[in-house]
Amino acid sequence: HEPLSDLFRFKEVKKALGEILLFKNLNDEQMDRVVRCLERQRYKKGDIVVRQGEDASQFYLIQSGSMKVSTNGHQVRTLGRWDAFGERGLLLQECRAATVSAQ
């Protein structure tokens, strides 16, 4: 049995992913598989999550906290709870377009 907190988190993550274009057309079973494949990562303030120009190998969904997005050393936006990043690089096999760090 899954603890209630895990089940609640599973449903929250599934709902958040359903709002992302990349995942909108997945059926329920496919979405469940995607959620089960996610791994939790924790970052401290100032940690660099991805660097501009690096190869893209992961997709990120922010469950809590915030992230600073910078291009060429200038902050361009802030991401928060249930925001996602990294899908474009994976889909198009591009390098990271921005540096993202934990705030």
Side-chain angles (χ1 to χ4, degrees), residues 23 53 55 57 86 100:
F23 301 105
D55 288 339
S57 60
V100 179

Side-chain angles (χ1 to χ4, degrees), residues 1-102:
H1 298 308
E2 293 179 71
L4 185 58
S5 61
D6 288 348
L7 183 60
F8 180 70
R9 186 181 78 82
F10 186 91
K11 288 180 180 178
E12 273 191 312
V13 169
K14 188 173 172 179
K15 182 180 179 202
L17 287 176
E19 300 295 318
I20 298 168
L21 184 63
L22 175 64
F23 301 105
K24 278 190 184 283
N25 293 321
L26 296 183
N27 66 36
D28 209 44
E29 183 182 321
Q30 291 168 323
M31 186 67 83
D32 286 352
R33 276 189 287 175
V34 168
V35 174
R36 282 198 282 296
C37 287
L38 296 176
E39 295 178 12
R40 180 176 281 186
Q41 301 288 325
R42 295 183 188 271
Y43 297 95
K44 296 182 295 244
K45 184 177 181 172
D47 284 353
I48 302 292
V49 180
V50 299
R51 289 187 193 279
Q52 185 175 359
E54 288 180 340
D55 288 339
S57 60
Q58 294 178 319
F59 161 81
Y60 296 86
L61 176 67
I62 302 167
Q63 186 177 4
S64 64
S66 62
M67 299 279 175
K68 177 175 77 170
V69 181
S70 303
T71 56
N72 302 319
H74 301 288
Q75 183 172 345
V76 292
R77 67 186 292 203
T78 300
L79 300 174
R81 184 173 173 86
W82 302 129
D83 284 332
F85 63 95
E87 66 275 19
R88 179 185 165 100
L90 289 178
L91 285 173
L92 303 176
Q93 298 180 337
E94 293 180 342
C95 293
R96 297 287 184 196
T99 296
V100 179
S101 57

